[in-house]
């Protein structure tokens, strides 16, 4: 290994790894997916890791969305520190919604960049390209010590920008469709090849939840996905790496018995109570890739007009059976460790099988091909946290998914 002294990132000290420290973020991996696949005998390596390593459940950050959790894992800290609390933010001054994919929104250095600065070799592979710039912030590619590329744009990656030219050709795997299980398989395959041929000190592999949005843990397509993952996990484990397997969030069915999506349209309610478009509901799950979840998740925030009676609005929303909790901005910032300047006046979380929508006419539910499954709230906060070595670990709620690199490095330093 190329470094011998501990690395400090965002006030946490990471031991120098003696072998590669790997964190794998299985996007949308509700713990039941693993339980079911293991029960069918499809994940022998993960089963063994749970039995002979360390097996826990951890809590994700809220909102239980992809970007806030990936950046928490990448920085080792909650959104109050790194600033990324959704896929986009709303600027009340301009009335504009701004995507938060850009590095300028990131308020803390990543663990990867700190390891890189300390002289380590760092590899990051993401399924979707939307995360690449944020995860790669602070990395430099001129010394062949960093790689950060996506499966989605693997045909066009370059040495200068990603540390790997034409990643698809290098891997010998065609650039996958963005909506596919192969997009995640590419990430695992790249991780195996990097560990074998490039010897990173630290590696992060993060997938996409396309399969999990579509299929429940009982369905063969979901089981096949985890069976595929276990084959790559076997190879990573056999090479002696210290591995933490966790997730950005869980995934719950959000439909009724007939398969129709279950939604509370909060913008419609606020329009009725406060006047048309007086309040503004923001669903930070929204992004350019909405086809598989219709922009519906378990978390929403709303900006209220001046003079609105916030306590009354909260009481009215909280009385709805679709809603699990309504918090003031101040309560949400404190409890979920969120950046106050990027959150609305109230925060809403729906119940396990419900989602929060804006206005009914704004959601294209016809684009949903399967009964809706989604995430974002407290009912998708529980995620697996499995280490292939025995280490001293707390469990949820103390253990967080963003402790992944802290414990991967600890396991790698044994
Ligand atoms: Zn996700």
């Amino acid at each position: 290994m190329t470094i011998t002294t501990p690395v400090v990132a965002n006030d946490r000290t990471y031991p120098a790894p003696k072998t590669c420290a790997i964190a794998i973020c299985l996007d949308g991996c509700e713990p039941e997916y693993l339980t079911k696949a293991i029960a069918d005998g499809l994940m022998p390596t993960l089963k063994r890791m749970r039995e002979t390593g360390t097996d826990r459940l951890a809590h994700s950050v809220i909102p239980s969305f992809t970007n806030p959790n990936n950046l928490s894992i990448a920085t080792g800290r909650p959104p109050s520190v790194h600033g990324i609390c959704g896929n986009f933010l709303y600027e009340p001054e301009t009335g504009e919604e701004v995507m938060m994919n850009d590095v300028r929104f990131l308020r803390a250095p990543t663990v990867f960049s700190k390891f890189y600065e300390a002289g380590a070799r760092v590899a990051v592979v993401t399924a979707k390209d939307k995360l690449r710039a944020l995860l790669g912030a602070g990395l430099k590619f001129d010394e062949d010590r960093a790689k950060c590329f996506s499966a989605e744009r693997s045909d066009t990656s370059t040495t200068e920008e990603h540390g790997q030219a034409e990643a698809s050709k290098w891997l010998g795997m065609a650039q996958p469709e963005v909506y596919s299980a192969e997009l995640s398989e590419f990430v695992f395959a790249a991780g195996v090849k990097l560990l074998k041929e490039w010897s990173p000190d630290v590696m992060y592999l993060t997938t996409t939840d396309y399969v999990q949005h579509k299929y429940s843990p009982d369905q063969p397509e979901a089981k096949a996905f985890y069976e595929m993952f276990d084959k790559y996990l076997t190879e990573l484990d056999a090479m002696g790496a210290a591995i933490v397997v966790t997730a950005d969030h869980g995934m719950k069915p959000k439909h009724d018995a007939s398969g129709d999506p279950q939604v509370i349209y909060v913008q419609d309610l606020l329009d009725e109570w406060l006047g048309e478009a007086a309040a503004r509901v923001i669903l930070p799950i929204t992004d350019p890739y909405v086809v598989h979840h219709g922009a519906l998740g378990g978390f929403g925030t709303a900006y209220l007009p001046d003079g609105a009676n916030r306590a009354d609005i909260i009481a009215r929303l909280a009385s709805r059976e679709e809603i699990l909790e309504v918090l003031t901005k101040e309560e949400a910032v404190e409890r979920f460790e969120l950046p106050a300047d990027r959150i609305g006046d109230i925060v809403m979380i729906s119940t396990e099988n419900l989602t929060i929508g804006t206005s009914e006419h704004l959601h294209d539910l016809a684009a949903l091909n399967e009964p809706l499954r989604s995430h974002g709230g407290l009912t998708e906060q529980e995620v697996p946290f499995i280490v292939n070595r025995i280490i001293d670990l707390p469990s949820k709620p103390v253990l967080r998914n963003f402790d992944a690199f802290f414990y991967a490095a600890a396991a790698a330093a044994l």
Side-chain angles (χ1 to χ4, degrees):
M1 294 285 102
T2 52
I3 57 166
T4 51
T5 50
V7 173
V8 178
N10 302 312
D11 299 324
R12 301 185 82 171
T13 302
Y14 296 78
K18 291 180 187 157
T19 182
C20 183
I22 301 177
I24 300 174
C25 177
L26 297 173
D27 198 330
C29 188
E30 183 69 30
E32 197 186 356
Y33 283 108
L34 302 179
T35 316
K36 291 276 163 82
I38 287 173
D40 280 11
L42 302 175
M43 305 192 80
T45 296
L46 194 76
K47 180 172 187 280
R48 181 173 46 75
M49 273 174 66
R50 287 173 82 166
E51 288 163 359
T52 63
T54 312
D55 181 23
R56 298 282 187 274
L57 290 171
H59 271 179
S60 77
V61 306
I62 298 292
S64 49
F65 291 146
T66 300
N67 286 18
N69 277 283
N70 267 275
L71 271 299
S72 291
I73 293 169
T75 59
R77 289 290 178 190
S80 54
V81 174
H82 60 71
I84 307 298
C85 54
N87 287 332
F88 70 94
L89 60 85
Y90 175 63
E91 294 179 331
E93 312 80 47
T94 60
E96 274 180 47
E97 294 174 357
V98 188
M99 291 301 292
M100 262 192 282
N101 291 353
D102 197 282
V103 170
R104 70 193 160 98
F105 295 107
L106 187 61
R107 292 172 170 163
T110 65
V111 173
F112 318 131
S113 70
K114 288 295 176 186
F115 268 88
Y116 182 83
E117 282 171 19
R121 295 164 73 82
V122 179
V124 178
V125 187
T126 165
K128 284 184 182 175
D129 201 65
K130 70 171 179 180
L131 269 170
R132 187 192 46 80
L134 290 171
L135 295 177
L139 297 180
K140 296 191 181 68
F141 302 103
D142 53 351
E143 289 181 10
D144 194 32
R145 278 199 300 113
K147 295 194 187 269
C148 182
F149 55 86
S150 71
E152 183 185 351
R153 303 265 172 87
S154 51
D155 276 352
T156 50
S157 67
T158 64
T159 310
E160 297 72 28
E161 253 189 282
H162 312 89
Q164 180 60 60
E166 297 175 280
S168 51
K169 195 190 269 182
W170 161 82
L171 186 57
M173 199 179 259
Q175 176 176 293
E177 292 294 317
V178 66
Y179 299 115
S180 69
E182 288 74 27
L183 201 73
S184 295
E185 179 166 8
F186 186 105
V187 173
F188 301 137
V192 168
K193 189 172 165 75
L194 284 168
L195 187 61
K196 211 176 272 178
E197 299 176 4
W198 194 70
S199 304
D201 299 287
V202 172
M203 182 157 72
Y204 184 44
L205 305 176
T206 181
T207 66
T208 171
D209 56 10
Y210 166 81
V211 166
Q212 290 72 18
H213 272 289
K214 262 173 111 81
Y215 305 111
S216 71
D218 288 311
Q219 290 180 277
E221 293 88 347
K223 289 178 178 173
F225 179 86
Y226 291 97
E227 182 180 22
M228 173 272 291
F229 165 56
D230 201 74
K231 294 199 163 75
Y232 292 100
L233 182 64
T234 305
E235 291 197 64
L236 294 171
D237 180 61
M239 284 186 269
I243 306 169
V244 170
V245 175
T246 188
D248 53 350
H249 53 76
M251 186 72 72
K252 287 285 173 13
K254 304 287 186 181
H255 57 83
D256 61 14
S258 59
D260 288 330
Q262 295 291 286
V263 193
I264 176 169
Y265 292 104
V266 177
Q267 184 71 53
D268 289 340
L269 290 174
L270 294 178
D271 284 356
E272 197 183 307
W273 299 339
L274 296 167
E276 184 84 19
R280 178 76 165 256
V281 173
I282 298 294
L283 308 176
I285 193 172
T286 317
D287 68 9
Y289 310 86
V290 293
V291 177
H292 52 295
H293 47 67
L296 294 166
F299 178 99
T301 182
Y303 290 82
L304 302 179
D306 289 343
N309 184 339
R310 183 166 73 162
D312 175 60
I313 299 294
I314 288 176
R316 287 206 225 183
L317 286 170
S319 73
R320 303 283 306 220
E321 63 176 12
E322 300 96 329
I323 298 284
L324 183 67
E325 287 206 48
V326 190
L327 297 88
T328 65
K329 169 186 184 158
E330 295 76 14
E331 288 165 346
V333 161
E334 161 99 22
R335 180 164 155 204
F336 305 137
E337 301 175 281
L338 297 171
D341 58 331
R342 293 177 177 175
I343 291 291
D345 300 304
I346 63 171
V347 162
M348 301 153 276
I349 292 173
S350 60
T351 53
E352 180 163 331
N353 300 124
L354 258 291
T355 58
I356 293 171
T358 55
S359 297
E360 192 164 3
H361 72 276
L362 292 177
H363 292 272
D364 182 15
L365 302 183
L368 290 168
N369 297 319
E370 288 85 17
L372 182 64
R373 302 174 54 76
S374 195
H375 54 94
L378 286 159
T379 50
E380 295 84 32
Q381 190 178 21
E382 199 170 90
V383 292
F385 197 106
I386 302 165
V387 192
N388 67 342
R389 298 185 175 195
I390 294 173
I391 57 167
D392 192 18
L393 268 189
S395 195
K396 58 155 188 164
V398 176
L399 183 65
R400 308 299 304 271
N401 59 352
F402 59 80
D403 297 327
F405 274 104
F406 186 76
Y407 290 115
L414 290 175

